Amino acid sequence: MINLNWYVLFVMGGKEEKICDFFKQENIHAFLPKMEVLYRKQGNFYPQEKLMFPSYVFIESDLEHTAFHQKLLDVKQKKKGIIKELKFDNEGTPALTQDEKELIEKLIGRNKVMKHSIGYIEGDQVIVTDGPLQGLESKIIKIDRHKRRALIEIEMLGRIVNLNVSLEIIKKIGLNTINPIYISKILSN
């Protein structure tokens, strides 16, 4: 399997879909990472897709940095709304590290849409049993059980990014704690 480079473009808000479609017409594989979020309507929850990173378009290409930059300059002449390519340094290194790319791939899967996750709380620990957050429990910093959302913290593009993602907590289990003084009294008798 060929390891393709990922490039991230900062674009004008609200023009992500049009710019993504334009790149596809130019035979450049562009995509918008999305996430499935559960919304409540009349007491029921319905899934709806929304952009994971608003104002960003991701490009997957076998072109090296310099060749891609030249291609991007040509495309910018034809299409308005592309603000800039995000780079890690002045040499043109793509903004996403390999670890960041792998994390995003794990979250969004092949369809480029992050599905909702399911889990439970045991004591003060979150255990995700199904979905893309499985194994990433340490990234969860806050849970809103009523809205079925979790705030996760990931490192991306050289900074910490907070994402509000879909997580359904199906149950909460309290830890069975017994007072240690009570145990010592039982053992002494």
Side-chain angles (χ1 to χ4, degrees):
M1 184 175 156
I2 299 171
N3 191 14
L4 298 174
N5 294 316
W6 278 23
Y7 301 97
V8 183
L9 304 179
F10 182 56
V11 301
M12 292 176 67
K15 297 198 181 254
E16 300 94 346
E17 293 280 350
K18 288 181 181 178
I19 291 171
C20 191
D21 290 342
F22 182 79
F23 274 109
K24 289 176 182 174
Q25 291 171 0
E26 296 285 317
N27 293 321
I28 299 172
H29 184 252
F31 65 94
L32 301 169
K34 295 182 179 183
M35 60 184 160
E36 187 177 87
V37 181
L38 297 176
Y39 285 98
R40 186 188 317 227
K41 186 175 182 180
Q42 297 177 343
N44 295 319
F45 283 92
Y46 300 96
Q48 185 177 18
E49 288 182 7
K50 73 178 222 173
L51 292 177
M52 187 179 265
F53 305 106
S55 297
Y56 293 96
V57 173
F58 288 66
I59 307 287
E60 200 170 33
S61 173
D62 59 353
L63 295 175
E64 287 304 314
H65 316 310
T66 52
F68 177 77
H69 184 69
Q70 187 58 47
K71 181 76 171 172
L72 181 60
L73 290 175
D74 295 340
V75 171
K76 281 175 87 172
Q77 298 289 326
K78 299 176 191 175
K79 186 69 176 170
K80 299 215 183 297
I82 301 169
I83 297 172
K84 67 178 180 177
E85 175 191 356
L86 301 183
K87 299 177 186 174
F88 184 72
D89 55 24
N90 290 334
E91 284 79 46
T93 306
L96 285 177
T97 66
Q98 188 63 29
D99 290 342
E100 292 168 344
K101 177 183 169 186
E102 289 171 6
L103 176 61
I104 294 171
E105 282 179 320
K106 179 181 178 355
L107 290 174
I108 63 176
R110 290 184 181 193
N111 296 332
K112 310 294 188 214
V113 177
M114 181 180 176
K115 298 293 182 188
H116 76 278
S117 296
I118 299 172
Y120 62 93
I121 297 174
E122 186 173 337
D124 62 350
Q125 185 177 4
V126 178
I127 294 126
V128 179
T129 57
D130 189 37
L133 291 179
Q134 192 172 12
L136 298 173
E137 290 88 348
S138 63
K139 305 254 183 225
I140 299 171
I141 57 175
K142 184 178 177 184
I143 294 177
D144 184 338
R145 290 182 64 201
H146 298 289
K147 290 185 178 179
R148 299 180 183 186
R149 304 264 173 87
L151 188 66
I152 63 170
E153 185 176 84
I154 63 171
E155 189 173 330
M156 190 179 123
L157 308 172
R159 61 188 176 99
I160 300 296
V161 176
N162 291 333
L163 291 176
N164 198 357
V165 298
S166 183
L167 173 64
E168 183 175 0
I169 299 296
I170 54 174
K171 63 182 171 180
K172 185 173 183 177
I173 304 169
L175 290 178
N176 294 334
T177 55
I178 300 175
N179 188 339
I181 297 171
Y182 177 73
I183 292 173
S184 65
K185 284 182 180 179
I186 291 174
L187 294 175
S188 64
N189 287 339

